[in-house]
Amino acid sequence: MGELLSYLLDLIVPPRPTERVVRSLTVETLLSLGGEEPLPYHEPRVTALVWELKYHGTGRSAALAGGYLSEILLAAASEELGVPLLVPVPMHAARRRERGHNQTELLCKAAMDFFSGSFTVFEYVPKALVRTVNTKTQQGLPRAERLKNIKNSMTAGPDAKKIAGRVCIVVDDVTTTGATFEEAKRALKSAGARAVHCIALARS
């Protein structure tokens, strides 16, 4: 009955090409593509996954991406004493209103769903950082321009009091030159973070 309903819905509202690709993916497929490293962004299946997460915020893309990222995050947490803070790369309020969601928050929440048991792996702090400058898109800019574009665009947010003396793990969907991560590191270090590690779902 469920498959028939899905079939009929697809006839009425045909799925996006990227949506069709994501439907065929599994976490095991992603593991075969990336192992314990960021996924190769320009691999068509990975591109489809990132686009569905970034621009449409679909539940399936978030679950798949979170499942893949959870293993990388768990490995990073196992090397630290205490409970690290899980910090999504922030999005400016204007862009968030335009898009309707922040894909890095969806990614972090989905990854957290994979951590279970009686112990706490991470403390999720979605408001550790805020984007104070609505920068132009980083896509297509060379590294020097990316660094200049994003410089001093982030600051500690409402959860700033939790940062001092803690290990922070910053999560982004795609990294290219590392400029966004460098700015996040600067802002977190300024707020007193003991150490900052950066993990991306995919690398361009």
Side-chain angles (χ1 to χ4, degrees):
M1 184 66 179
E3 290 184 5
L4 177 60
L5 181 59
S6 295
Y7 174 75
L8 293 173
L9 286 173
D10 284 353
L11 290 177
I12 298 168
V13 183
R16 295 175 296 275
T18 51
E19 190 177 6
R20 286 187 182 277
V21 172
V22 168
R23 285 182 183 180
S24 70
L25 288 174
T26 64
V27 173
E28 289 70 26
T29 302
L30 297 177
L31 287 169
S32 72
L33 292 172
E36 297 180 357
E37 299 294 329
L39 292 163
Y41 175 69
H42 295 292
E43 207 283 347
R45 289 168 291 182
V46 177
T47 305
L49 176 67
V50 171
W51 275 59
E52 281 296 303
L53 177 67
K54 190 178 191 108
Y55 297 110
H56 303 288
T58 60
R60 179 161 179 80
S61 64
L64 285 166
Y68 179 77
L69 201 67
S70 64
E71 292 298 318
I72 300 173
L73 290 171
L74 191 59
S78 68
E79 297 178 1
E80 299 293 340
L81 294 174
V83 178
L85 302 181
L86 188 62
V87 181
V89 166
M91 178 180 285
H92 191 270
R95 189 166 297 175
R96 186 186 184 112
R97 284 194 298 271
E98 180 183 319
R99 189 170 295 173
H101 66 277
N102 179 353
Q103 70 274 8
T104 61
E105 291 181 12
L106 297 181
L107 186 53
C108 285
K109 289 175 184 176
M112 290 289 287
D113 287 342
F114 281 82
F115 302 128
S116 61
S118 58
F119 64 96
T120 302
V121 181
F122 291 99
E123 181 179 354
Y124 177 46
V125 281
K127 296 180 181 178
L129 289 174
V130 293
R131 187 79 70 115
T132 55
V133 180
N134 191 11
T135 56
K136 62 183 178 182
T137 180
Q138 296 278 81
Q139 192 171 0
L141 296 177
R143 177 171 168 76
E145 284 299 310
R146 285 173 180 254
L147 289 168
K148 182 180 179 181
N149 181 47
I150 204 166
K151 185 177 181 182
N152 296 322
S153 65
M154 299 181 198
T155 188
D159 289 332
K161 62 181 181 295
K162 297 182 178 182
I163 296 171
R166 301 288 294 276
V167 172
C168 298
I169 298 182
V170 182
V171 171
D172 203 358
D173 57 340
V174 181
T175 185
T176 302
T177 64
T180 300
F181 278 150
E182 287 302 314
E183 173 59 14
K185 278 185 180 180
R186 181 203 61 76
L188 289 168
K189 286 281 192 177
S190 295
R194 175 162 56 89
V196 181
H197 305 293
C198 300
I199 294 175
L201 171 66
R203 181 180 297 279
S204 176

